[in-house]
Amino acid sequence: MGVAESKDNDDHVEGSLFSAEEQIVIKHLHGKISATEDSFKNHLKLLNDKLAGNLVNYLSSLKPRPQKGVLFTYRQFHTLLSQIFRGNSTDQSIAIRGLCSQNKEISSEDLFQAVLQLVTAYREVTRNLPAWSKWTLDQETEQHRKEFTFGILQELFDKGSSKKGPVPKAKVPEGVSYTESDVEDLLHKSPLFIHVCDTVFTKLFPISTDETLRMEKLCSSLPVPVTMVPHQTILDPYAMMFLNFNLPKDLQTEWRLVFSNSVFGDSFTQLVAHMLNKGPSLLIVKDKTGHVFGGYATQKWQLNSKFYGSADNFLFTLSPQYGIYTTTTYNSNYMYLNQGQQTLPNGLGMGGQFDYFGLWIDQSFNYGHSKAQPRCTTYASPQLSGATEFEVVALEVWEVGPEPKADSDDEDDNEKKKKSVLDGNAEARAMLALIGKERVSEGYRDEEDDLEISEDMKRKMNVIPSLI
């Protein structure tokens, strides 16, 4: 069920989806911003005048029409907020269309500029979150922001393109328009777009009375980095956010630096030593041409003469354009790591086949290749690097998600599972032994430590033989 346009008198909305406290806040906010266009635009200063004007136009188009003296009525404002915060994807797509354009369809250029504005506003809203202060990121630029925006819109802009041919370059399609249905489809395919919109709208229209909850939600959207030494990553803020939102939800809270050539040097031996037997991880590479790309592995990296891994892996590009490339059903050559072999390739690879990997780092460390013309058979990815054979400038490996339990923790858990209910009662065990009753499981367990028997128990044991 979608959000219906509000009914009843202008000061009361029948069947409101908001609490009584929230409705009070909404009425106050409406009185503050609905008097003049200047007051409305001043409140929406995170957005440019064009988007603010589009939103006024959309609000005033909702029924009932506004009376003289106000830009839009309380009921119209209530309907908009219901669509944004309480509506389904259809309701949200209608409101977003109204924000992007005053027409029923949105031109590709208007859509790109509107999303770029939302991304810019999102960065301003989140700039001072505590997690950012823990990162030392590459300097952000306008180009980074545009690449991130293209990354959000990629599925929509590439709609109809062949999945077997080369990946289209990131550009705004010419002469193409999009409907509310297209926007809804984008919402379904891009959780990152939903998050950006929700964050910006929540800042523009703060109807919640729980500011702490809002901040906790925002803070949880950024991972906390854990590094052994001060480290400047090759990622810019947008690239980090893009990667994090494409990880499983339970792995988005923490990143631990496992390897960086700026810390450990250009050494494949060091790379292998530091990345073996870790949890799910991101491998990020920057080549000499400035391309940034890599892969996500769900399983731990291990030396192996064969391909292994999971269909949940993916390859990605971050510059000059964003892309996530998931696995196909063509083969299961997800990941490969080998070292010191004479007859097999020595290096790290993801996808493709020997000598034709989707992503390959040679044992020399300084060189690799991405031979995927037109697409990698395993990940349907294009050539990730600037050239087929590339030179490594920077390489990082981040273990993602909560830190896995140490093996000793697992051993402790296993020991607890092995214990019998009698293990905690030395006296009961001694009594069983005296009367010739042995526990069935005893022969299958490790030798126990000598029993600690109390003085009272010893006295009882001395009495038992005389009773038998």
Side-chain angles (χ1 to χ4, degrees):
M1 293 286 292
V3 175
E5 289 187 344
S6 308
K7 296 179 180 181
D8 215 344
N9 63 64
D10 194 52
D11 291 328
H12 173 75
V13 176
E14 182 182 3
S16 174
L17 300 175
F18 297 104
S19 68
E21 287 184 345
E22 288 171 333
Q23 289 183 65
I24 292 171
V25 175
I26 293 171
K27 286 179 181 179
H28 174 75
L29 187 57
H30 171 260
K32 181 180 175 182
I33 67 176
S34 63
T36 66
E37 191 164 342
D38 285 343
S39 63
F40 185 74
K41 287 182 177 179
N42 184 59
H43 182 77
L44 268 66
K45 57 188 175 185
L46 270 175
L47 305 178
N48 61 24
D49 285 351
K50 182 176 181 180
L51 293 192
N54 289 345
L55 204 53
V56 167
N57 183 75
Y58 173 68
L59 275 164
S60 61
S61 72
L62 298 171
K63 294 179 181 178
R65 302 299 180 190
Q67 302 170 348
K68 290 182 178 180
V70 292
L71 288 173
F72 47 87
T73 65
Y74 169 71
R75 280 188 285 168
Q76 289 173 321
F77 188 49
H78 184 281
T79 297
L80 171 67
L81 298 188
S82 298
Q83 290 173 331
I84 292 172
F85 296 120
R86 298 292 188 269
N88 55 29
S89 58
T90 301
D91 299 317
Q92 291 166 348
S93 66
I94 293 170
I96 292 171
R97 193 275 308 159
L99 174 72
C100 296
S101 174
Q102 297 190 19
N103 302 314
K104 281 296 183 182
E105 293 191 349
I106 318 166
S107 72
S108 54
E109 183 61 34
D110 281 347
L111 180 60
F112 177 78
Q113 292 300 330
V115 176
L116 182 61
Q117 266 289 302
L118 288 170
V119 166
T120 303
Y122 173 83
R123 184 70 179 107
E124 286 304 309
V125 172
T126 61
R127 188 176 297 279
N128 294 320
L129 290 180
W132 286 122
S133 65
K134 301 180 186 299
W135 283 92
T136 305
L137 296 152
D138 192 25
Q139 185 176 0
E140 61 183 283
T141 65
E142 179 65 19
Q143 185 59 32
H144 290 150
R145 189 156 45 247
K146 287 182 177 180
E147 290 170 358
F148 181 76
T149 302
F150 275 117
I152 290 175
L153 294 169
Q154 181 186 25
E155 285 272 356
L156 191 56
F157 282 177
D158 292 351
K159 195 174 181 179
S161 299
S162 170
K163 296 296 182 183
K164 296 182 179 180
V167 173
K169 296 296 181 185
K171 66 176 184 178
V172 178
E174 295 181 4
V176 179
S177 294
Y178 299 99
T179 63
E180 291 169 358
S181 178
D182 291 322
V183 175
E184 183 176 4
D185 191 42
L186 177 62
L187 290 170
H188 284 302
K189 293 179 178 178
S190 179
L192 180 54
F193 183 49
I194 294 174
H195 175 71
V196 167
C197 291
D198 185 56
T199 301
V200 174
F201 286 135
T202 301
K203 180 65 176 178
L204 293 174
F205 308 116
I207 61 171
S208 174
T209 55
D210 192 340
E211 178 65 14
T212 302
L213 183 64
R214 185 183 78 85
M215 287 304 298
E216 285 178 355
K217 184 178 178 182
L218 270 182
C219 289
S220 68
S221 67
L222 296 174
V224 175
V226 179
T227 60
M228 298 160 286
V229 294
H231 173 72
Q232 178 168 333
T233 175
I234 56 180
L235 298 174
D236 63 79
Y238 301 101
M240 186 273 287
M241 288 189 292
F242 181 80
L243 281 183
N244 200 52
F245 265 87
N246 280 285
L247 296 176
K249 189 70 177 175
D250 59 332
L251 301 181
Q252 294 179 6
T253 56
E254 185 177 306
W255 291 20
R256 289 173 300 285
L257 183 67
V258 172
F259 176 87
S260 170
N261 65 326
S262 68
V263 177
F264 298 103
D266 294 357
S267 167
F268 190 76
T269 301
Q270 286 288 325
L271 170 64
V272 172
H274 284 88
M275 74 185 303
L276 281 180
N277 298 316
K278 302 294 183 182
S281 60
L282 287 164
L283 169 74
I284 307 165
V285 182
K286 183 176 184 179
D287 70 14
K288 199 171 184 178
T289 66
H291 283 58
V292 181
F293 51 91
Y296 164 69
T298 61
Q299 293 188 9
K300 61 179 66 173
W301 284 96
Q302 295 177 310
L303 293 171
N304 200 318
S305 61
K306 297 180 180 179
F307 283 96
Y308 60 102
S310 164
D312 293 327
N313 290 6
F314 60 78
L315 294 179
F316 59 83
T317 53
L318 299 173
S319 185
Q321 68 185 63
Y322 284 77
I324 296 291
Y325 307 102
T326 53
T327 55
T328 67
T329 57
Y330 187 85
N331 61 43
S332 56
N333 298 346
Y334 304 124
M335 53 199 288
Y336 172 89
L337 181 64
N338 219 340
Q339 187 180 29
Q341 301 297 311
Q342 292 185 350
T343 57
L344 293 169
N346 291 307
L348 179 155
M350 295 187 73
Q353 57 185 334
F354 288 168
D355 299 324
Y356 292 90
F357 288 88
L359 170 58
W360 173 253
I361 303 296
D362 186 73
Q363 66 174 345
S364 67
F365 184 88
N366 297 112
Y367 297 94
H369 73 243
S370 180
K371 296 180 179 179
Q373 296 292 350
R375 298 285 184 113
C376 169
T377 54
T378 311
Y379 292 100
S381 56
Q383 178 180 300
L384 308 175
S385 48
T388 303
E389 306 273 350
F390 63 83
E391 185 175 344
V392 175
V393 170
L395 189 151
E396 297 175 357
V397 179
W398 293 86
E399 185 182 20
V400 294
E403 192 164 8
K405 278 186 176 182
D407 290 341
S408 59
D409 294 337
D410 293 334
E411 289 173 7
D412 290 343
D413 289 343
N414 290 334
E415 284 302 316
K416 289 176 183 176
K417 290 176 183 176
K418 288 179 185 176
K419 287 184 181 292
S420 162
V421 292
L422 296 175
D423 287 342
N425 193 331
E427 295 183 358
R429 299 204 309 272
M431 291 286 285
L432 285 172
L434 262 177
I435 62 176
K437 298 290 185 180
E438 186 177 340
R439 286 183 290 169
V440 175
S441 62
E442 196 69 35
Y444 300 97
R445 289 149 53 96
D446 294 335
E447 221 174 277
E448 304 277 355
D449 293 332
D450 291 339
L451 301 177
E452 292 183 7
I453 305 175
S454 68
E455 289 299 322
D456 185 55
M457 187 63 217
K458 289 178 182 177
R459 182 181 58 78
K460 292 176 181 177
M461 289 169 65
N462 289 331
V463 173
I464 289 173
S466 64
L467 298 175
I468 297 177

